[in-house]
Amino acid sequence: MEIPKQVEKIIKDLKEKNYQAYAVGGCVRDVLRNVEPNDWDVTTNAKPEQIKKIFPKSFYENKFGTVTILTNSKENNLKEIEITTYRIDEKYSDKRHPDNIKFAKTIEEDLARRDFTINAIALDDKLIDPFNGQKDLEKKLIRTVGNANNRFNEDALRMLRAIRFACTLDFSIEEKTFKAIQKNSESIQAISKERIRDELIKILKSNKASEGINLLQETGLLKYIIPELDQGVGVSQNKHHIFDIYEHSLRSLNVAVEKEFNLEVRFASLFHDIGKPETKQGEGPDSTFYNHDYVGAKFTFKILSRLKFPKKFVDKVALLVKNHMFVSDPERLTEAGARRILKRVGQENISDLINLRISDRLGMGRPKARPYRLRKVEYLIEKVSKDPISVKMLKIKGNDIMQLLNIEPGPKIGAINDVLLSEVIEDPKKNTKQYLEKRTKELNKENLEKLRKLAKGKIQEKKEEEDLKIKEKYWVK
Ligand code: ATP
Ligand code: MG
């Protein structure tokens, strides 16, 4: 693999004006690994003002000395190329941002401020590699440039970057570097939630996601980032489980990764039992975790909101966690049951919910887990999805009810509608005008409170009761 012509041209233009210039950082690392870089970075001793003069199609808007050049390339990773002036970071008093940046004179000084040896190699006609990054690339090691303890003390985000690179590159963390993360883990609290989120996303998208979470745990970072997950370490389950809560969560995540499930399902797999430590009752083979799905959904919502994930993402993962206990045995799932699942999570989330159950099942390490049976469930839900599950699909409308009963618009209409809907969910054959009109007249005799109870009782409470009974009998989970 070679330096692309757009990058070569930038280096050449800078050199023609008597500046030094190199490709540097992640792109050099990736070229040496024979992998297509995400983006290309150039470093130079020219100052931002001087760079701007050489490249009219560029902009400079941050204080870190980076000028962005727009190329005409059609390749996504070459459309924008960043040129950064050699620099030294001065004193980080908040473990987060350098207080000041000072331009450096030599490429070696610039490489020395970079995080890991493998990210501190510059390339032009030859490689400049003062920290033996190539050797660590061969050994597949993440090692800080210079003293690990000092480097993490300067910038705590680097600890998370070390783990992220270990995951995305499938490397190990060199021993001193690892120990320094353990020692400094507490200072991750100084880092903004957004930056933590971005690293976490990269870890979960990688093929080594569960190893990454485990590295967070072993280094002590997890208890500052997701303490709720750390709580499951060593908390045993019951006779249905071989693994403790934490290990089962990692294994479920690992299944989600192996099956290439999307990011929402990966997070849901990791978090689906996060309510268990809180809800555990009793010890030993008969301990129970009633309502851990509901509690888990609350925790999931809290964790992802805290980490500034977009609301839509948070809601979706929480919804999956909340519903992960749905009846999924094709012999026991009735059509009415399938319709209720559909109503609770929506058509668009059904296949993700099934995928979550696959991760959960296979993550239990039971030899007899048969995920293909879940596809039958998916089929059943698909089949009933054509039946009415929303008030709009009822064969009788609010207006009809008003006319029939000769009453004004008001909450009673909605309440009657809900009771009718709950009955139709139970049995779609009841969705005829004739039946619904008859029922409407009967329901008119009840007061509002009773009607609401009837609807809720049917749609929700009954379901929960049923689920709990089933949990007790089969899952105890
Ligand atoms: P990716 O492939 O994910 O883009 P990258 O190595 O290019 O990985 P970037 O975050 O794009 O990572 O950073 C570019 C380079 O800047 C890194 O290779 C590293 O040399 C340096 N760098 C980035 N963040 C830091 C940091 N927090 N401390 C020290 N050096 C850093
Ligand atoms: Mg990069």
Side-chain angles (χ1 to χ4, degrees):
M1 200 174 289
E2 288 181 352
I3 302 186
K5 61 178 195 301
Q6 292 86 345
V7 180
E8 204 122 71
K9 174 85 167 59
I10 288 173
I11 294 178
K12 192 169 138 263
D13 289 349
L14 283 159
K15 282 181 156 179
E16 262 168 17
K17 302 279 177 194
N18 284 321
Y19 296 111
Q20 301 167 5
Y22 301 89
V24 72
C27 60
V28 178
R29 175 198 70 216
D30 291 344
V31 166
L32 293 171
R33 295 163 59 229
N34 245 320
V35 168
E36 178 82 31
N38 285 335
D39 42 43
W40 287 85
D41 295 315
V42 170
T43 186
T44 177
N45 60 347
K47 302 278 154 51
E49 289 308 317
Q50 298 163 325
I51 302 171
K52 267 177 25 188
K53 269 191 210 138
I54 301 174
F55 305 99
K57 277 171 81 179
S58 64
F59 53 92
Y60 174 51
E61 55 182 343
N62 67 36
K63 57 184 169 106
F64 293 105
T66 300
V67 177
T68 305
I69 311 287
L70 304 175
T71 70
N72 293 322
S73 173
K74 290 196 173 59
E75 307 290 328
N76 261 334
N77 60 350
L78 286 167
K79 281 190 176 128
E80 293 188 356
I81 294 169
E82 293 194 334
I83 309 181
T84 307
T85 307
Y86 295 166
R87 58 176 234 234
I88 307 168
D89 300 329
E90 289 208 314
K91 207 159 106 286
Y92 295 65
S93 46
D94 62 355
K95 299 180 200 272
R96 193 163 40 173
H97 294 298
D99 296 350
N100 258 309
I101 63 151
K102 206 170 98 188
F103 294 127
K105 291 212 168 55
T106 66
I107 179 69
E108 284 80 10
E109 282 176 294
D110 181 83
L111 292 175
R113 61 124 181 135
R114 294 177 181 269
D115 49 6
F116 305 110
T117 59
I118 57 168
N119 288 345
I121 309 173
L123 168 67
D124 175 22
D125 316 314
K126 59 179 190 332
L127 289 164
I128 302 192
D129 181 14
F131 304 103
N132 293 318
Q134 289 169 91
K135 225 176 174 179
D136 284 338
L137 271 177
E138 260 166 48
K139 291 198 264 181
K140 294 182 167 251
L141 279 182
I142 311 289
R143 182 198 311 269
T144 53
V145 169
N147 178 283
N149 199 45
N150 295 345
R151 302 313 308 284
F152 293 139
N153 223 303
E154 284 168 7
D155 178 358
L157 183 69
R158 289 175 187 150
M159 299 188 286
L160 214 44
R161 285 174 59 87
I163 291 174
R164 184 254 284 191
F165 284 122
C167 292
T168 56
L169 307 177
D170 193 8
F171 278 27
S172 314
I173 300 177
E174 175 275 328
E175 198 183 325
K176 280 188 189 140
T177 302
F178 188 89
K179 290 206 165 120
I181 301 178
Q182 287 182 316
K183 189 169 166 200
N184 289 280
S185 59
E186 192 190 352
S187 61
I188 197 67
Q189 294 171 103
I191 300 299
S192 82
K193 298 290 193 276
E194 288 84 353
R195 297 179 82 186
I196 293 177
R197 171 200 64 202
D198 291 346
E199 296 298 327
L200 212 52
I201 289 175
K202 286 178 183 163
I203 291 170
L204 260 82
K205 279 187 173 169
S206 79
N207 288 334
K208 297 282 161 182
S210 63
E211 288 87 341
I213 298 295
N214 207 36
L215 281 172
L216 292 176
Q217 207 284 322
E218 289 172 349
T219 52
L221 289 167
L222 190 63
K223 65 174 174 292
Y224 298 108
I225 300 176
I226 314 173
E228 297 87 345
L229 196 58
D230 203 53
Q231 296 268 311
V233 177
V235 180
S236 63
Q237 305 201 54
N238 53 33
K239 56 177 169 262
H240 302 279
H241 292 265
I242 323 168
F243 306 119
D244 71 30
I245 298 172
Y246 173 73
E247 185 168 357
H248 168 60
S249 307
L250 286 199
R251 284 171 178 264
S252 301
L253 169 59
N254 199 43
V255 174
V257 170
E258 279 173 358
K259 303 253 173 207
E260 298 182 21
F261 293 156
N262 63 28
L263 195 62
E264 287 93 335
V265 175
R266 291 181 190 206
F267 270 102
S269 302
L270 182 62
F271 290 162
H272 73 283
D273 279 349
I274 208 155
K276 276 191 167 181
E278 189 85 354
T279 53
K280 182 170 179 177
Q281 279 178 18
E283 269 304 328
D286 292 318
S287 46
T288 59
F289 303 92
Y290 292 133
N291 292 326
H292 77 273
D293 37 3
Y294 296 90
V295 175
K298 274 192 190 138
F299 283 177
T300 299
F301 187 87
K302 241 177 64 190
I303 296 164
L304 294 177
S305 304
R306 184 172 75 215
L307 290 169
K308 315 278 185 205
F309 278 80
K311 181 156 189 331
K312 217 176 130 197
F313 189 91
V314 179
D315 288 344
K316 164 109 181 225
V317 180
L319 184 78
L320 293 174
V321 170
K322 184 174 179 174
N323 290 286
H324 82 270
M325 294 298 294
F326 71 96
V327 178
S328 66
D329 182 343
E331 278 83 56
R332 284 193 296 124
L333 183 66
T334 60
E335 292 206 355
R339 269 188 292 279
R340 282 191 295 258
I341 295 171
L342 196 61
K343 182 157 190 286
R344 288 204 303 274
V345 302
Q347 178 82 63
E348 68 281 13
N349 296 314
I350 289 295
S351 71
D352 285 340
L353 187 68
I354 303 259
N355 288 346
L356 171 58
R357 179 53 72 79
I358 290 173
S359 304
D360 184 4
R361 280 282 172 89
L362 294 180
M364 290 169 87
R366 281 209 199 137
K368 274 189 4 192
R370 288 169 294 175
Y372 65 89
R373 283 159 56 92
L374 284 160
R375 293 299 165 204
K376 281 195 203 162
V377 171
E378 194 173 11
Y379 164 77
L380 187 63
I381 298 173
E382 173 80 42
K383 195 174 131 224
V384 303
S385 70
K386 277 112 206 161
D387 299 333
I389 49 156
S390 103
V391 178
K392 280 190 233 107
M393 293 158 122
L394 283 178
K395 287 275 154 59
I396 189 169
K397 305 281 173 244
N399 271 339
D400 304 329
I401 297 177
M402 287 189 311
Q403 271 181 17
L404 196 67
L405 304 179
N406 197 17
I407 56 173
E408 297 289 300
K412 191 153 191 187
I413 313 288
I416 291 178
N417 247 329
D418 282 345
V419 180
L420 296 178
L421 179 63
S422 67
E423 292 185 5
V424 169
I425 285 176
E426 290 289 336
D427 180 6
K429 284 194 225 73
K430 291 183 174 166
N431 193 21
T432 65
K433 203 158 178 150
Q434 195 193 5
Y435 173 82
L436 296 176
E437 280 180 358
K438 180 179 127 249
R439 265 311 266 160
T440 298
K441 283 181 197 149
E442 286 165 17
L443 290 170
N444 189 33
K445 291 172 198 139
E446 308 290 355
N447 66 25
L448 198 58
E449 202 181 326
K450 178 78 194 293
L451 286 172
R452 284 190 175 143
K453 243 191 183 153
L454 271 174
K456 220 182 156 198
K458 279 229 164 78
I459 294 175
Q460 250 191 350
E461 282 169 6
K462 191 174 153 214
K463 170 253 142 196
E464 284 175 18
E465 236 176 62
E466 243 174 44
D467 271 8
L468 285 176
K469 259 192 242 146
I470 290 161
K471 281 176 205 175
E472 207 167 353
K473 198 164 161 203
Y474 293 87
W475 284 80
V476 200
K477 203 178 159 213

